[in-house]
Amino acid sequence: MSWPLAGTTSVGREGDIAIDDPFLSRRQATLRWRGGRVRVRPDGGTNPTVMTAGPLRARIPSRWMTLPPGARLRLGSGTFAVLARRRPRGLEREGGPGGAVGRFLPLSLVLALPLVLGGSPWRWLVMLVPAVAAVALLRGTARTVRGPRRGERPHEISLACREGHTSYSEPALPRRPRLLRRRELAGTGWCVRSEEEACWLAGYLAAYNDPEVLVVSSPWLTTTGRGLTVRFVPDARSGPAYGEAVVTWAETEAWVPPGWAVPLRVPARASPVWARSLGRETSARGIPETVRTCPNSFGSRSLARAWEAPVANLAVELGLGTDGPVVVDLAAHGPHALVAGTTGAGKSELLTTWVLGLAAQSSPASLALVLVDFKGGAAFGSLANLPHCAAVLTDLDPAATRRALASIRALLRQRERLLYEAGCRDVTEMDAVQPGAVPRLLLVVDEFRALADDHPDLLEQLLRLGAQGRSLGVHLIVATQRPAGAVVPELRANMALRVCLRVAEAGDSHDVLGVPDAASLPRVPGRALLGAEGTREFQVAWSGDAAEVRSAVRAIQRAWTGGATAAPWCPPLPRIVELETLPPDALALADEPDELSQQPLVLAPGNILIAGPPRSGRSAAARAVVTAALAQGDEAWLVTADRDADAGAGCVIHAAQTRLIALALTHCADRARRTLVVDDAEMWLAAHDDLHGPGAGAGLLTQSLRTIAAAGSRIVIVGSGDLLTARWASAISRRYLLGGTDTATALLAGVSRAAIANLQQAIPGRGLCLTTSLEIQFGWTPHVPRTVGRTRSFTPLPPSAVQKRRPDEIVLGTGGDPLRQVALPVATDLVVVGLGRERDAATALVASQRREGAVIAVTPGGWATGWSGELGRIRETAAVLVVRPDLVGAPSGLSLEGSLEPGSAGYAVLVQGGVAVPLRLASSVVEDVGAVVHDVRARGRGEEQDERRPRGDRPQHTPDSEGPDEADERQKRDDVPGRENSSGPRPRPCQLPRGGKDDGTGDDPENEDSG
């Protein structure tokens, strides 16, 4: 922009020269032009006014100060040059109304009129008034519209265009030189001989055309309006777009201007001298503060011609310097680049311009891009849809980023193998033999320090990339605020191409470029120093705002007719892997990024631990292991707390059936090829501890892990993450941790901080192998295969049922392993140990079948102290029936290991000859059952009341201590109405001692807790 000075002019947000700058005061300074000199005085603004004249830099005092020729003023955030203004040399306008004939015709008529009329000499005085009017008309016309002249500088042309416009319904075009020959301008274009001619033409069109007819867009001046846009660009390869006209002055082979048979031979690029003469749009160093990328680069014709080459072109015009465009080439200057700059210096804009330039130069078939943005995806979000872009990795998805970077090693090995098979030393030789066979790959990383902090173990992959990238066609661009401490020297040694934007300290500049100059760069976004071949200052080209970048991306998408670029690594693991799609003996799909493959995970020998939080797919993993074990020919069982599990499969055991689980553990330790999968292991361990005491379950599991592994079988424990820290877990080498596990649990399990990112995804069935650090996805199946007839079934005790009477045996119920009818010879002595109603019912069952032998019903306390009398006589040889051992525990001196389980009504254990047999008591119907039950109920009430007494208030008796008188007294006391409890009367146990004599030792409620 340029403003003429005449008299006194104020500058500020609300001054005569109004500038929209938040760093300016409303009236920043006052300029006065008088006698060919320009003087300046601050107007009391809060921001200083600084003058620069050559090496002199001074702050303007609060009084008038004369500005020397060529001086520049720093006002707010802009720099303004005070330039000399030539005096108008008359009107020069080519074509249109008001030309030479229109200007001199009135004056000629006035001078010729006296000669035509004749008369006295006074007639000349009469004609004086029309002559003065004609001169005034001539001067007024010259001031109103003054077109630009050749040789004028751009700021003078800009001033000429600001002094007025003329309004015509059609475009006003120059006739000399013969540049514009058509009135239908839309979709046309012209090529002029030089930039000077183009600048003059832009000023001519802006001065002589109303903005409703023509709008000029050029590097020197730009008008606003709704008319047809005439765009001035140095190189218009694709020609004008529909709805605009193009003027170019650069050599071009892709577009021939209308009316020309062959391309014009004109300078290839424009000189920056014209742009630098516009004071406010240039800095004190002669570099524009704003440089725009050429939009013609994204035209369909331009892209199609650039993409014809099968080999990628990595040379990109990155910006503009004092000596012309700045071109960087990763292949020639690299192979890798380092970009540094403080916050707000323009790193993301530089990377955007660089990536778009590469996309415009190379087709997606010859160049693949991987963009790594550790600023939440804001930097490369608008570039994600480029057909060149294989992936955009962000810190919002650390697992995907880690997986992609881990694939670099395999990717490099793959390219090494291709070059070796082709007999080439590097990708350049490969391009000479088979052009485009190995496309170039570029990794662009924004905020490299954040990447290094989050994934320090993956830096080794980048080091290898830096060392082998040149020969394998893999390049890296790294951007960070401070490379010191983040970019290791081994990687920096391969980064010959370095771009340093403004940095906060001179040490940072010296660390990147070897000179401190980047710390003193002006605060202009995009101002940078290039250190590829010496230090060179330039202004990074700006690709526009997000909408303009997306528009360029869409243009590239439309120009590419092929498919999207695939990532150079395998796709992520699917969220669901159907188990039937895997091999029969596989239980999961393993991701191996180091090998660029995904392989089925086959069930291997040895014990396994699978841990994870609820809803992480633990039960599905357990079913997958059982299915894989059965496919390998193993006998397999599944322990689960899911009551809806398919019990008909023949291999399902409930987690509360501790007795059956103990049987399965013993069975697996017998011989090889047996697999026991214990899902919901915490429930089983808790139930086992409740029956056998604290720590009993862990002890049994520790012993079983050793014996089962030694036998060649396996046990698989599935449960929460707390199991990983158990003492017995150290004996299991193959452990898997499912997703959703909290960080603390993962660290305690030995997971590295870098691998924890893979556990943050709460995908059911997704896990991490702690041994190999491979990510896996367990196969999903809704049920386990049916194993009836192939796997031994461990069946729980059945419900009570009526048993057939045997003449020579006492039938007790159904039990054992496998299930069978449990009975005793009639001559066997029997002691029934239990409490309350359950014991009485068992005694009644036995009494209804007795013929010989003694039967004694006692409490656990009575059994412990009953060493005299009838109980003492038979206790060494008698069979012992323990009723509800899950409630009363193992009686003194008896071992019930392996037979205990959380029971229900009718559950009992028969101990005979040191062998414990669990059973379910039968319900037997006899003729006198009503009388027996009545007697039992009458006898049970007193015992029930005594069970509610405090332990210290109960009298201590032996089974033989109660006499007939005491029994009669207790019977009367028990018959008092209202002493039944809410649970109802309980049956009285029947006693049939030898010879039919009741010796008083059968039932003594006073001795329930004795001993």
Side-chain angles (χ1 to χ4, degrees), residues 265-631:
R265 310 298 296 181
V266 294
R269 289 294 177 185
S271 170
V273 177
W274 291 91
R276 289 202 306 269
S277 68
L278 292 173
R280 187 179 184 277
E281 296 185 359
T282 61
S283 68
R285 308 186 185 201
I287 301 177
E289 292 186 1
T290 302
V291 176
R292 295 297 302 269
T293 56
C294 180
N296 270 352
S297 302
F298 309 112
S300 58
R301 296 181 183 177
S302 177
L303 293 173
R305 184 169 184 81
W307 291 352
E308 288 178 356
V311 180
N313 180 14
L314 302 183
V316 175
E317 184 177 320
L318 205 58
L320 186 65
T322 55
D323 53 350
V326 175
V327 180
V328 294
D329 190 346
L330 280 172
H333 304 149
H336 312 302
L338 175 62
V339 178
T342 187
T343 301
K347 295 189 302 296
S348 298
E349 286 74 11
L350 184 148
L351 296 178
T352 300
T353 299
W354 206 333
V355 169
L356 283 177
L358 289 170
Q361 295 286 350
S362 305
S363 70
S366 61
L367 175 65
L369 299 173
V370 176
L371 309 179
V372 184
D373 181 8
F374 263 58
K375 294 194 299 186
F380 297 139
S382 54
L383 301 175
N385 294 326
L386 279 173
H388 305 69
C389 186
V392 177
L393 309 176
T394 70
D395 52 344
L396 302 180
D397 191 358
T401 301
R402 176 180 177 80
R403 180 176 176 276
L405 296 180
S407 304
I408 292 179
R409 177 182 299 178
L411 178 65
L412 296 178
R413 286 199 300 266
Q414 186 183 66
R415 293 191 169 222
E416 288 175 348
R417 190 159 43 249
L418 290 175
L419 294 178
Y420 175 77
E421 293 174 355
C424 300
R425 293 178 298 176
D426 53 28
V427 70
T428 303
E429 292 187 3
M430 187 72 172
D431 289 337
V433 177
Q434 302 178 19
V438 181
R440 301 282 179 143
L441 176 63
L442 173 62
L443 273 74
V444 185
V445 183
D446 196 4
E447 295 299 338
F448 182 79
R449 177 178 291 274
L451 174 65
D453 292 342
D454 291 352
H455 305 283
D457 58 323
L458 296 179
L459 292 181
E460 181 182 354
Q461 314 287 353
L462 298 179
L463 292 179
R464 185 171 183 179
L465 187 154
Q468 299 178 321
R470 180 187 294 275
S471 60
L472 300 179
V474 182
H475 304 272
L476 178 65
I477 299 177
V478 168
T480 182
Q481 294 186 24
R482 300 187 65 182
V487 184
V488 295
E490 293 85 353
L491 182 60
R492 195 182 305 192
N494 295 286
M495 293 180 169
L497 179 57
R498 301 184 181 183
V499 180
C500 189
L501 293 98
R502 182 175 53 85
V503 293
E505 299 178 2
D508 297 334
S509 175
H510 198 279
D511 180 58
V512 178
L513 301 174
V515 294
D517 299 351
S520 59
L521 286 175
R523 292 182 174 273
V524 177
R527 186 60 53 87
L529 293 177
L530 177 64
E533 299 175 353
T535 303
R536 180 183 179 189
E537 184 178 352
F538 72 101
Q539 179 66 33
V540 176
W542 185 48
S543 300
D545 55 18
E548 293 175 294
V549 174
R550 286 193 294 268
S551 177
V553 170
R554 286 193 296 269
I556 295 175
Q557 284 181 305
R558 290 191 298 267
W560 177 244
T561 57
T565 302
W569 49 80
C570 293
L573 286 172
R575 298 180 70 91
I576 297 178
V577 176
E578 298 290 344
L579 190 61
E580 59 185 12
T581 62
L582 299 176
D585 57 347
L587 55 93
L589 184 65
D591 187 21
E592 300 180 3
D594 291 347
E595 301 295 334
L596 295 181
S597 64
Q598 293 176 353
Q599 300 294 334
L601 181 65
V602 179
L603 181 61
N607 299 325
I608 301 175
L609 174 61
I610 302 175
R615 306 184 67 83
S616 61
R618 296 183 308 195
S619 297
R623 293 194 298 268
V625 175
V626 172
T627 304
L630 292 171

Side-chain angles (χ1 to χ4, degrees), residues 725-737:
T725 58
R727 297 183 60 181
W728 51 263
S730 60
I732 303 177
S733 59
R734 298 173 58 212
R735 294 183 287 178
Y736 299 94
L737 192 58

